[in-house]
Structure formats: structure tokens, C-alpha cells
């Protein structure tokens, strides 16, 4: 059975950008509900002992498996999102990721503008992503529960732009939330780890 993975930091670790109150609902209610729903859906099926990635890849694009896909993908996405954030994070990365950002976007400022604009412009619920595909960095947005790997891109970092991610702290001001995450919370060590495995 699937379990809710522990957060990599205390619930108040992302304050003041994301409040402990938001984390408490987002992790303790939303993320947990995806885990509970997934466990109910896999009970007695071949997927009981499968990995999340296997379930997600098998069920992507299959309307009759939408419940399994959405819940498995949202469990995966949220764990990835938590690990991609940290207190005193954000700003300019260094090392290989920084070089690849310069190569792909012509510098950090352009990268930041594009990641922000793409994440803000996702219509309705979804995710903004920094991903790597064919050895090159790319910025993507995906609707609802979709992770980039079902389209062949390996994610490095993500920004949850579902309203539940920011509404308690920012109400309708999605751009303020997105920019604060980019400036103060992105965990570039996690991005470098993901790049190393890509
Ligand atoms: Fe979320």
C-alpha cells in the first residue's frame, strides 16, 4: 500500500512565503487524500505492489483509468514539489544547472521570467515545471495531475499552481506566490540531483 511520505522539513519551514497553515492543509489534507484515494483504487488489483511511476505511465491518456492516473500522479507530484522547496532557497543556482540555464534561456533573468509566466498562465489547476529533454532544459506547464515524464521530459523542479497551494496566503494573487517561490524557495540541490539521474 502507498503511504504519505514525511515532509522534508517542518510545516513552518517555508514561512513567510508559504504559511504552516497552508502546508498543514496542502500536505495533511490534499496530499493525504490522494494517497488514501489511490489505496482504495488499487486494492485487489495488479497495481497494489506497483510503483507510482508504473501506474502513472500505464494509465496516462486512458479515460477509463482517470481516477487511478489522477490520484497516483498527484501523490507523485506533491512529493516532488515538497522536495523541490526549502527555506532560504530560490535565487540563482550554480554549477551545471546554471550553465544549462544560460545555454537554454540566455541567462537566469530570462529563465525566471519564463518560468514565472508559464506557471502563472496555466489556465485552471496544474503545474509549472523545469524539466530536461534531449539534454536541454525546458520550461513546461501541465494541466491538473499530469507530470512531464508521460511526455518524455524529466522534471527537475515544479511549482504547484492549484489554488489550494496558495489561496490561504495569496488569495487570487497567483503571480505573487509563483515569484516568491522562485525567489525564495526553489531547492537547486534537488534540481541538480534530478539532473544527475536524467
Ligand atoms: Fe497541490
Amino acid at each position: 500500500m502507498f503511504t504519505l511520505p514525511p515532509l522534508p522539513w517542518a510545516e513552518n519551514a517555508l514561512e513567510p512565503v508559504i504559511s504552516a497553515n497552508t502546508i498543514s492543509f496542502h500536505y495533511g489534507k490534499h496530499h493525504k487524500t490522494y494517497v488514501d484515494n489511490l489505496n482504495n483504487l488499487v486494492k485487489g488489483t495488479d497495481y497494489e505492489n506497483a510503483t507510482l511511476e508504473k501506474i502513472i505511465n500505464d494509465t496516462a491518456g486512458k479515460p477509463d483509468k482517470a481516477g487511478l492516473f489522477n490520484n497516483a500522479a498527484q501523490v507523485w507530484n506533491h512529493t516532488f514539489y515538497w522536495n523541490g522547496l526549502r527555506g532560504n532557497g530560490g535565487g540563482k543556482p550554480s554549477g551545471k544547472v546554471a550553465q544549462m540555464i544560460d545555454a537554454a534561456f540566455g541567462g537566469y533573468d530570462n529563465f525566471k521570467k519564463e518560468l514565472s509566466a508559464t506557471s502563472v498562465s496555466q489556465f485552471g489547476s496544474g503545474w509549472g515545471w523545469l524539466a530536461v529533454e534531449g539534454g536541454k532544459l525546458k520550461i513546461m506547464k501541465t494541466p491538473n495531475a499530469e507530470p512531464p515524464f508521460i511526455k518524455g521530459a524529466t522534471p527537475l523542479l515544479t511549482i504547484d499552481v492549484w489554488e489550494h497551494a496558495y489561496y490561504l496566503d495569496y488569495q487570487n494573487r497567483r503571480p505573487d506566490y509563483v515569484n516568491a517561490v522562485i525567489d525564495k524557495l526553489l531547492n537547486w540541490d534537488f534540481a541538480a540531483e534530478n539532473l544527475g539521474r536524467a
Side-chain angles (χ1 to χ4, degrees):
M1 299 305 267
F2 296 93
T3 53
L4 181 66
L7 285 170
W9 21 252
E11 285 194 349
N12 65 359
L14 307 184
E15 290 190 338
V17 178
I18 299 176
S19 67
N21 192 32
T22 288
I23 299 294
S24 145
F25 278 95
H26 196 177
Y27 169 73
K29 306 287 186 197
H30 292 277
H31 194 178
K32 180 178 186 299
T33 299
Y34 296 127
V35 173
D36 293 344
N37 289 345
L38 179 62
N39 280 326
N40 287 328
L41 288 164
V42 299
K43 207 177 284 171
T45 75
D46 291 346
Y47 287 126
E48 250 178 2
N49 297 307
T51 63
L52 284 174
E53 288 87 348
K54 159 97 175 140
I55 298 174
I56 294 163
N57 282 318
D58 277 10
T59 58
K62 295 183 179 155
D64 60 320
K65 298 277 197 295
L68 262 176
F69 174 79
N70 286 330
N71 285 286
Q74 284 294 77
V75 172
W76 192 95
N77 291 340
H78 281 88
T79 303
F80 192 84
Y81 172 63
W82 308 133
N83 283 299
L85 303 179
R86 69 166 182 215
N88 296 315
K92 266 187 173 176
S94 57
K96 191 174 176 201
V97 182
Q99 290 164 16
M100 289 177 77
I101 282 176
D102 289 345
F105 307 103
Y108 175 80
D109 291 344
N110 288 341
F111 155 78
K112 188 194 149 177
K113 244 181 254 168
E114 193 179 325
L115 178 59
S116 174
T118 301
S119 303
V120 167
S121 68
Q122 168 55 37
F123 185 77
S125 296
W127 301 81
W129 303 87
L130 175 64
V132 61
E133 190 174 7
K136 201 170 173 247
L137 294 188
K138 64 190 282 193
I139 286 167
M140 306 169 65
K141 58 184 171 183
T142 62
N144 301 314
E146 270 185 28
F149 59 79
I150 63 167
K151 292 173 176 157
T154 302
L156 304 185
L157 287 173
T158 191
I159 303 175
D160 188 345
V161 293
W162 284 59
E163 282 189 344
H164 66 222
Y166 59 87
Y167 214 84
L168 293 175
D169 296 329
Y170 296 85
Q171 292 76 50
N172 60 315
R173 291 176 288 117
R174 185 190 282 187
D176 291 356
Y177 154 75
V178 165
N179 289 327
V181 167
I182 295 171
D183 287 338
K184 294 171 182 161
L185 296 184
L186 290 183
N187 181 349
W188 286 111
D189 291 339
F190 182 66
E193 279 169 35
N194 291 320
L195 184 61
R197 283 193 292 261

